Amino acid sequence: MDVQTPQLHFEPGEREPELIHFRAKSRDWASCLFTGLTGLATWLILGMLGVILVNILVNGWTGLSWRFIISNSDQDMFDVNKAGVLPMIVGTAARVILMTLFVIPVGVTTAIYLTEYARTTSLLTRIIRGAVNNLAGVPSIVFGLFGLGFFILFVGGLMDRSVLGGGPEPRWGKPAILWASLTLAVMTLPVVIVATEESLKAIPQGLREASLALGATKLQTILQIVLPQAMPGIMTGGILSVSRAAGEVAPILFTGAAYYMASYPKALTDQFMDLGYHVFILSTQSPNIEQTRPILYATVVVLLLLTFALNFVAILIRTRMRKQMRALH
Amino acid sequence: MNSLMPPLAQGAAAAKPGGSPPQMPSRPMVMETRGLSLYYGRTQALKEISIEIEEKIVTAFIGPSGCGKSTLLRCFNRMNDLIDSVRIDGQVLVGGYDINGPDMDVIELRKRVGMVFQRSNPFPKSIHENIAFALRLQGLRDRSTIDGIVEQSLRGAALWDEVKDRLHTSALGLSGGQQQRLCIARAIAIKPTVILMDEPASALDPIATARVEELILELKKDFTIVIVTHNMQQAARISDRTAFFYLGALVEYDTTQTIFTAPSKKQTEDYVTGRFG
Amino acid sequence: MTHHEQELSELKQRLLNMGSRAELAVAQAIEALTNRDADLARRVREGDTAIDQLELEIDDQAVRLLSHAPLAGDLRLVLVIMRASQNLERVADEACKIANRARDLTDEPPLKAAVDIPHIARMVLDMVKRVLDAFVRGDVDEARSLIPLDKEVDALHKEYSERLVGLMTQDPDTIQRCLHYLTIIKRLERIADHAKNMAEEIVFMCEAQDIRHAAKLGTPPQEPAP
């Protein structure tokens, strides 16, 4: 077989080195303009965020106090000096945590199925993926109606008619923190699934092959090798879902949020008060909007703080996980 | 699960607490294929390969890229199962058993036929845990037994002296050559009969390569080794038998000396002297 | 041609160059003998230095090629060339020795030839020529056919030696000249040996069969590689 010898001979003088002309010949206007625009966009976003935060703080400053945070609104929720949001804090936190308990296992398991087990070309896989994608685009109010129709009326009704029911009053077939959390779980499922899938895909195939070649079953490989590696990514999914769910009001509107509860939610069947919902109440039900405005904005501040706090805890956990994985070095 | 493989003597499968590590049965084990053809969808990657692998020697598979040598290697421990579109005709026999038969326990097979990959793939765990993981898959629980086998395997892979003081640090902190030797240690820890090596030294520098080759020459006293390599001088250095593949077919299979000093087929001669491929 | 193939080809060329020089040396030494040409004999001796130099160069290049770890046919080629260059160097040395004796004989009165030197010389020269041709063409059959010729040369050598010894005992005056002739035919016999060795090398190079010492070791012939 003949090999073509590459002809790489330059005659002297044929090609001159052009190393001396490094200085730019003209200003690059396009680059400058682009840099300017992106800088402007960044400042715009920061500016808007700043305006919102400042607006909230300025308006809610008078309503915020330590007493506000730790007391309840049994006396008068519309009076600046008597209102308190502790029950709402508890309610929001409780429903978010309960949601996490539902969404993480289901989301992670689905992601594992899609990544590790499903054949990419099968019809079932495509249906599942389509469903997940569509779920992400559904408006939150629709989730609220879904929660009411499916969880409360259908499932709850079924449970009431079965052994679990008790007495003439519906026990399960009514708004409750359980149903609100489940509704939120369904809503944030796509986020967890996608985040988990991404972190699973990021794990090199070589690790799985190494494990299988040693005689591990697929399940052992997933549980002992793949999943531990994917934990930070799963945590990210959790953080994202918490962030979204903490501030959502529409899904809990019909499924469990209450205008007023005398006590904290103790059972799964109890209703709860909620920060976001409370903002809605204050703005629509208040007898004196001027008086109530500080309370309203203060509630928003508390909601933001709670979201940050929940995120912060989750990020702390994730950072510790990452450090542990790196600490083995 | 049904298994046609001879049962492991005295119960690693029974997971006796503090039990001794599994011993391989003493009957000689040979691998062979009979008229093996493999298809990726409609493409035929292996064309009716019939080859016999003798025990406790090093057999090398050589050939240009895409000739099917890695694909054939992966048939012996059914790692091709991981690919959806694969279809197999013909037989692959390990220890006399058709490993693609309905009764074959793939997990047991892979414990008998180990594999070392081209890119070293230690688990992101400590050095000790990498090997202990493999042992626990066998059902071993006793700490001291596990520690003992970890040391034995690391010695067997010529790695013990370098890592004995940092067994509990991450395996990812080792150099490329050390990682590959760790993967070898991990593979030999479960005492397979056969070790399949898919270009184990191709990602390593010459010194690390030399150490892995030296290791292979030691290992063949205890294990049957099949190695895929695109480095012909490597095959000439360490193997006893060599098989030359081209476009999915087995062209020539003979002693290494013959293949590299006086091959029978012109195709082999052309490939070995670098005239093509 | 790749660089590697080019280098192999150059090495082969060098060996052939050395071969023709050695062949020429033998031919000239015999001509110096038959024509009593002291001048030609001197030229043969002078030309030996160049041949020695060639052996060194060929070995050097062969070692370099070996470091490229050639395999199969290429490996056998390099090995054979290394050994052949040794053989050719010795052939040239033998030619020198014949030339020396030829020059010495010019100082003596010519002896009526009791032995037919040109006959054995032609046989040997023919062997050398044919073995070099066989190498160029890779002609295994030609190489094989040369091997039994060595036996014939050996037989001739024995016969001539006995006749020369007979002559010496008869006529002590001829002793000096007969001794020269004995040396000469011994050298010719050695040249034939070297030619036979090279023929065996050619068989190894082409067919990977090592047929050296076959008679003594009684190695059965193997299946030749195509």
Side-chain angles (χ1 to χ4, degrees):
Chain A
M1 189 195 257
D2 271 348
V3 172
Q4 301 289 336
T5 11
Q7 300 300 321
L8 286 176
H9 308 294
F10 288 114
E11 299 306 316
E14 199 179 272
R15 183 172 166 274
E16 315 221 334
E18 292 182 352
L19 297 175
I20 23 177
H21 307 301
F22 269 156
R23 259 176 268 117
K25 298 209 172 87
S26 60
R27 293 208 85 193
D28 188 356
W29 291 112
S31 283
C32 287
L33 188 64
F34 192 68
T35 312
L37 278 177
T38 49
L40 187 64
T42 313
W43 282 113
L44 215 66
I45 293 168
L46 286 175
M48 285 197 295
L49 188 61
V51 162
I52 294 173
L53 281 176
V54 163
N55 181 33
I56 291 172
L57 279 172
V58 157
N59 281 308
W61 184 246
T62 45
L64 254 189
S65 67
W66 191 241
R67 178 204 59 82
F68 183 66
I69 292 174
I70 62 170
S71 66
N72 58 35
S73 286
D74 287 345
Q75 293 167 342
D76 184 355
M77 65 171 67
F78 299 108
D79 184 341
V80 165
N81 300 312
K82 299 200 192 120
V85 287
L86 187 59
M88 297 74 155
I89 296 175
V90 170
T92 309
R95 72 165 166 86
V96 163
I97 291 172
L98 205 54
M99 171 206 78
T100 312
L101 289 177
F102 291 131
V103 82
I104 298 280
V106 175
V108 168
T109 321
T110 311
I112 291 176
Y113 173 77
L114 285 175
T115 323
E116 307 284 336
Y117 286 94
R119 301 173 123 244
T120 39
T121 48
S122 83
L123 185 61
L124 181 61
T125 312
R126 277 185 280 170
I127 289 176
I128 295 177
R129 277 205 195 281
V132 170
N133 286 339
N134 286 326
L135 208 59
V138 171
S140 356
I141 187 69
V142 174
F143 279 110
L145 292 170
F146 164 77
L148 177 64
F150 178 72
F151 285 123
I152 295 181
L153 295 178
F154 181 66
V155 176
L158 267 180
M159 288 165 81
D160 275 339
R161 285 193 290 277
S162 76
V163 167
L164 298 158
E169 283 292 312
R171 190 156 153 235
W172 295 101
K174 64 173 178 58
I177 192 171
L178 172 66
W179 306 130
S181 303
L182 279 172
T183 309
L184 286 171
V186 173
M187 191 182 79
T188 56
L189 204 53
V191 168
V192 173
I193 292 177
V194 167
T196 310
E197 256 198 294
E198 288 308 307
S199 65
L200 286 173
K201 281 186 197 160
I203 295 173
Q205 188 67 1
L207 281 183
R208 296 179 182 86
E209 286 190 334
S211 173
L212 290 170
L214 289 169
T217 61
K218 193 160 187 174
L219 187 61
Q220 283 170 320
T221 305
I222 291 174
L223 289 180
Q224 297 187 39
I225 304 286
V226 175
L227 214 48
Q229 272 286 86
M231 279 317 275
I234 296 172
M235 290 296 295
T236 304
I239 292 167
L240 290 172
S241 69
V242 161
S243 306
R244 181 149 178 227
E248 285 282 347
V249 176
I252 60 172
L253 222 42
F254 318 119
T255 51
Y259 175 89
Y260 172 76
M261 292 282 289
S263 58
Y264 299 104
K266 283 191 277 288
L268 287 174
T269 48
D270 286 344
Q271 286 187 282
F272 59 97
M273 298 184 80
D274 180 77
L275 287 169
Y277 186 57
H278 196 61
V279 170
F280 176 62
I281 299 289
L282 290 174
S283 25
T284 53
Q285 309 283 346
S286 160
N288 181 350
I289 193 65
E290 285 300 323
Q291 197 193 12
T292 324
R293 181 173 291 131
I295 311 177
L296 197 146
Y297 278 95
T299 313
V300 172
V301 173
V302 172
L303 175 58
L304 287 174
L305 284 176
L306 180 63
T307 313
F308 288 158
L310 285 171
N311 276 351
F312 189 66
V313 167
I315 290 173
L316 264 183
I317 298 177
R318 183 178 69 182
T319 314
R320 242 187 96 223
M321 267 184 188
R322 284 207 178 122
K323 267 215 201 99
Q324 267 180 348
M325 284 165 65
R326 252 192 290 266
L328 293 176
H329 277 253
Chain B
M1 228 187 239
N2 248 351
S3 169
L4 288 184
M5 308 286 283
L8 296 174
Q10 303 319 307
K16 281 199 266 234
S20 53
Q23 301 298 314
M24 292 312 302
S26 56
R27 42 176 277 198
M29 193 143 130
V30 160
M31 303 198 299
E32 68 175 298
T33 70
R34 292 182 191 159
L36 173 66
S37 291
L38 185 146
Y39 300 84
Y40 290 119
R42 260 196 280 257
T43 325
Q44 188 172 18
L46 292 176
K47 298 182 179 143
E48 293 185 31
I49 310 271
S50 295
I51 189 172
E52 255 197 43
I53 309 292
E54 298 172 44
E55 74 159 345
K56 298 224 177 128
I57 60 165
V58 179
T59 304
F61 290 173
I62 64 170
S65 305
C67 66
K69 50 193 198 291
S70 287
T71 309
L72 176 60
L73 192 77
R74 291 161 73 98
C75 283
F76 287 116
N77 65 350
R78 282 183 58 176
M79 286 301 275
N80 285 323
D81 288 3
L82 301 181
I83 304 168
D84 278 340
S85 54
V86 160
R87 185 171 64 85
I88 290 188
D89 277 340
Q91 290 184 308
V92 181
L93 303 171
V94 174
Y97 297 112
D98 182 348
I99 63 173
N100 290 300
D103 284 342
M104 177 53 55
D105 181 356
V106 177
I107 306 299
E108 277 306 308
L109 171 68
R110 291 185 185 146
K111 289 177 184 170
R112 300 296 225 271
V113 180
M115 189 169 233
V116 175
F117 297 84
Q118 183 173 358
R119 292 236 150 71
S120 58
N121 45 21
F123 302 126
K125 298 171 185 262
S126 70
I127 295 170
H128 182 273
E129 262 312 291
N130 261 272
I131 302 179
F133 172 82
L135 295 173
R136 280 193 216 105
L137 288 177
Q138 302 273 38
L140 287 182
R141 292 276 173 261
D142 177 47
R143 258 277 197 71
S144 55
T145 318
I146 290 181
D147 287 349
I149 300 181
V150 167
E151 178 175 340
Q152 190 186 43
S153 316
L154 287 171
R155 282 190 193 278
L159 193 57
W160 174 251
D161 286 330
E162 290 166 60
V163 302
K164 62 179 183 235
D165 297 324
R166 45 172 172 151
L167 286 178
H168 298 283
T169 63
S170 169
L172 302 176
L174 295 173
S175 74
Q178 289 172 321
Q179 283 188 12
Q180 192 64 305
R181 277 180 284 148
L182 175 61
C183 291
I184 293 176
R186 186 178 64 187
I188 65 178
I190 56 180
K191 299 204 173 50
T193 311
V194 178
I195 304 177
L196 306 171
M197 298 195 178
D198 194 348
E199 303 199 35
S202 67
L204 303 178
D205 67 73
I207 296 179
T209 300
R211 295 180 88 167
V212 168
E213 287 183 11
E214 186 59 34
L215 181 56
I216 292 174
L217 290 172
E218 276 300 309
L219 287 176
K220 79 171 179 190
K221 296 176 188 163
D222 297 313
F223 305 95
T224 301
I225 298 180
V226 183
I227 175 171
V228 164
T229 179
H230 61 250
N231 181 340
M232 276 175 299
Q233 277 73 22
Q234 180 176 85
R237 280 193 293 266
I238 62 176
S239 70
D240 303 293
R241 304 262 183 286
T242 300
F244 168 58
F245 295 90
Y246 184 59
L247 292 181
L250 173 59
V251 175
E252 194 174 342
Y253 179 42
D254 211 324
T255 62
T256 296
Q257 168 115 358
T258 308
I259 296 280
F260 289 111
T261 59
S264 319
K265 300 264 165 54
K266 181 166 191 314
Q267 250 182 340
T268 318
E269 170 98 25
D270 284 344
Y271 177 68
V272 156
T273 55
R275 301 300 196 281
F276 87 86
Chain C
M1 239 201 251
T2 62
H3 282 107
H4 179 68
E5 285 169 321
Q6 248 174 331
E7 283 196 57
L8 284 174
S9 168
E10 270 172 37
L11 187 65
K12 212 169 159 180
Q13 258 330 104
R14 282 219 191 149
L15 187 75
L16 291 173
N17 183 13
M18 188 182 180
S20 33
R21 280 180 194 241
E23 185 192 336
L24 183 64
V26 174
Q28 283 180 332
I30 294 169
E31 193 187 321
L33 174 66
T34 44
N35 296 353
R36 296 173 64 82
D37 188 341
D39 206 43
L40 187 56
R42 184 184 47 84
R43 289 215 300 276
V44 170
R45 276 202 326 276
E46 284 166 3
D48 191 54
T49 331
I51 295 179
D52 287 345
Q53 182 63 24
L54 267 179
E55 189 202 5
L56 294 176
E57 285 173 15
I58 288 176
D59 261 7
D60 194 52
Q61 193 180 6
V63 164
R64 212 166 54 77
L65 272 172
L66 281 181
S67 74
H68 298 173
L71 294 169
D74 294 348
L75 177 62
R76 300 197 304 271
L77 176 67
V78 175
L79 278 175
V80 161
I81 288 179
M82 281 182 93
R83 293 206 280 248
S85 75
Q86 255 188 331
N87 277 316
L88 286 173
E89 193 270 327
R90 295 204 188 121
V91 165
D93 268 353
E94 306 292 10
C96 264
K97 290 180 188 149
I98 295 177
N100 283 341
R101 297 298 167 173
R103 201 247 7 241
D104 288 344
L105 278 171
T106 59
D107 295 336
E108 310 261 342
L111 181 67
K112 185 165 96 61
V115 292
D116 190 357
I117 298 274
H119 173 58
I120 187 175
R122 262 197 305 275
M123 275 184 82
V124 170
L125 196 54
D126 184 55
M127 275 181 83
V128 172
K129 191 191 253 314
R130 281 167 69 183
V131 89
L132 288 174
D133 275 345
F135 179 75
V136 172
R137 292 195 314 266
D139 190 339
V140 187
D141 297 319
E142 172 75 339
R144 278 211 154 91
S145 68
L146 291 174
I147 293 166
L149 289 183
D150 180 52
K151 283 270 175 318
E152 289 183 35
V153 172
D154 284 349
L156 266 185
H157 168 256
K158 189 156 181 245
E159 184 195 324
Y160 287 11
S161 300
E162 281 167 3
R163 273 205 241 152
L164 283 168
V165 168
L167 185 57
M168 282 196 293
T169 25
Q170 273 185 334
D171 186 357
D173 260 349
T174 64
I175 287 178
Q176 190 69 337
R177 284 166 286 172
C178 283
L179 285 177
H180 287 320
Y181 279 124
L182 276 171
T183 308
I184 287 171
I185 58 176
K186 182 74 197 160
R187 296 298 126 219
L188 285 173
E189 190 264 326
R190 292 295 300 140
I191 292 176
D193 274 348
H194 289 307
K196 182 198 79 162
N197 286 343
M198 287 198 288
E200 288 169 342
E201 302 288 349
I202 292 172
V203 171
F204 174 67
M205 179 178 81
C206 297
E207 289 184 355
Q209 272 207 71
D210 198 344
I211 59 172
R212 299 175 296 168
H213 319 300
K216 274 189 246 162
L217 295 177
T219 18
Q222 300 154 280
E223 275 295 313

